[in-house]
């Protein structure tokens, strides 16, 4: 019994927002959040960002340099905003794989894109970013938008993304980051912790999930730290572009 107790105490821990949880518990807790918010996810994105998230995603698409005939993997693709635009860019000869670990989000994305009539060159795969179920060197571009901060082992996920990219392929990480100015940071904190959870309760009937989302942003590595993580994972020519004063950053890296 002594060995069993010791083993339990030694289980690695990680953060779930500001909470400390066992690593084995985080994925299920994150899944609960996104099962809860899936139905109102698009509406809440528009309300939370006043529609600016569309501009962030548009710039991501532009900087991806995706061309007709290429293969793209969109991880944590949610309801398909990026996947739809990638599908239009790669055309009938290309392919876009929308991957998400959460079944509710994946189903929302599938339904939305099928209804829009743009799913002819799209494939939908439920997948864990840390263990991508794809062969080596098979994608020209990999993207992950507002998903990396929810991954338990970010380093492992980045290595998995590098593996599935072709040499010369590009990774794009669009994620909330650290505001570059103190005053903006204070205003952003006030909005995130006072207004956002109440908005989540009013629109989605879920205050706790949106409080977690605000906390998870603060626990995510800031710009330079994420850049270093990508370099450690093996990416070359890593750079980042701040948007909206650093509230969001787009990181890019190339597979050597």
């Amino acid at each position: 019994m002594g060995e069993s107790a010791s083993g339990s105490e030694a289980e690695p821990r990680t953060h779930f927002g500001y909470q400390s949880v066992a690593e084995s518990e985080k994925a299920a807790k994150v899944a609960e959040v996104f099962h809860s918010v899936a139905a109102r996810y698009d509406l809440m994105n528009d309300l939370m960002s006043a529609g600016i998230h569309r501009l962030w995603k548009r710039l991501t698409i532009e900087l991806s340099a995706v061309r007709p005939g290429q293969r793209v993997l969109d991880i944590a693709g949610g309801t398909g905003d990026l996947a739809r635009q990638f599908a239009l860019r790669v055309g009938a000869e290309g392919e876009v794989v929308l991957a998400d670990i959460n079944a509710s989000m994946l189903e929302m994305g599938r339904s939305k894109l099928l209804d829009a009539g743009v799913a002819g060159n799209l494939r939908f795969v439920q997948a864990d970013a840390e263990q991508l179920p794809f062969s080596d060197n098979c994608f020209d571009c990999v993207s992950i938008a507002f998903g990396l901060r929810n991954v338990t082992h970010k380093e492992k996920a980045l290595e998995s993304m590098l593996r599935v990219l072709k040499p010369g392929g590009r990774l794009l990480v669009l994620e909330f980051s650290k505001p570059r100015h103190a005053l903006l940071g204070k205003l952003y904190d006030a909005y995130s912790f006072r207004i956002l959870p109440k908005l989540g309760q009013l629109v989605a009937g879920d205050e706790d999930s949106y409080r977690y989302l605000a906390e998870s942003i603060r626990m995510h590595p800031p710009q330079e730290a994420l850049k270093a993580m990508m370099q450690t994972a093996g990416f070359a020519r890593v750079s980042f572009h701040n948007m909206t004063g650093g509230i969001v950053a787009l990181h890019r890296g190339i597979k050597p």
Side-chain angles (χ1 to χ4, degrees):
M1 291 182 64
E3 292 181 2
S4 176
S6 175
S8 176
E9 292 173 0
E11 181 176 355
R13 300 189 70 79
T14 188
H15 58 81
F16 174 72
Y18 289 164
Q19 299 177 48
S20 175
V21 300
E23 284 189 353
S24 60
E25 298 176 0
K26 180 171 180 176
K29 287 182 172 292
V30 171
E32 289 175 8
V33 168
F34 284 94
H35 283 310
S36 175
V37 305
R40 295 297 182 96
Y41 187 78
D42 285 337
L43 175 60
M44 280 297 295
N45 276 351
D46 281 330
L47 292 174
M48 287 188 301
S49 70
I52 297 174
H53 75 99
R54 299 179 185 276
L55 298 178
W56 299 332
K57 292 170 182 174
R58 185 181 305 167
L59 181 61
T60 301
I61 295 292
E62 292 298 327
L63 294 181
S64 72
V66 166
R67 302 187 301 276
Q70 292 191 327
R71 297 190 74 217
V72 178
L73 171 63
D74 183 29
I75 303 171
T79 56
D81 286 350
L82 287 182
R84 177 176 183 171
Q85 296 303 316
F86 281 133
L88 294 174
R89 292 214 166 203
V90 302
E93 300 302 315
E95 182 185 48
V96 176
V97 177
L98 192 164
D100 203 297
I101 194 172
N102 188 277
S104 297
M105 294 296 292
L106 192 64
E107 184 55 36
M108 288 293 296
R110 179 189 287 111
S111 297
K112 179 180 173 182
L113 294 173
L114 287 173
D115 288 346
V118 294
N121 58 352
L122 274 161
R123 190 154 57 95
F124 303 90
V125 177
Q126 188 169 0
D128 182 344
E130 296 182 21
Q131 304 176 65
L132 293 169
F134 308 107
S135 59
D136 297 356
N137 309 313
C138 64
F139 291 102
D140 298 284
C141 179
V142 172
S143 65
I144 179 167
F146 306 114
L148 187 61
R149 72 179 187 278
N150 296 310
V151 175
T152 303
H153 303 102
K154 296 175 179 60
E155 298 87 349
K156 189 174 179 180
L158 290 169
E159 291 169 358
S160 187
M161 296 174 205
L162 183 75
R163 178 185 63 77
V164 302
L165 274 169
K166 298 176 182 178
R170 302 165 300 286
L171 170 66
L172 298 104
V173 181
L174 180 66
E175 187 56 88
F176 290 107
S177 200
K178 184 177 181 179
R180 307 315 295 160
H181 302 286
L183 178 58
L184 178 60
K186 290 179 180 179
L187 292 172
Y188 182 49
D189 282 346
Y191 168 77
S192 298
F193 292 104
R194 295 180 187 175
I195 298 175
L196 179 57
K198 299 301 182 185
L199 187 63
Q201 178 62 42
L202 180 66
V203 177
D206 188 343
E207 182 174 342
D208 290 344
S209 289
Y210 284 92
R211 182 175 293 106
Y212 158 73
L213 292 176
E215 292 175 356
S216 70
I217 292 168
R218 291 351 184 252
M219 299 303 291
H220 184 67
Q223 289 90 329
E224 290 291 350
L226 180 54
K227 177 180 177 180
M229 288 175 64
M230 291 173 64
Q231 292 170 328
T232 299
F235 286 95
R237 294 161 54 191
V238 179
S239 62
F240 62 84
H241 181 85
N242 284 319
M243 293 182 273
T244 316
I247 287 175
V248 165
L250 174 64
H251 284 69
R252 292 182 293 169
I254 307 295
K255 180 171 180 174

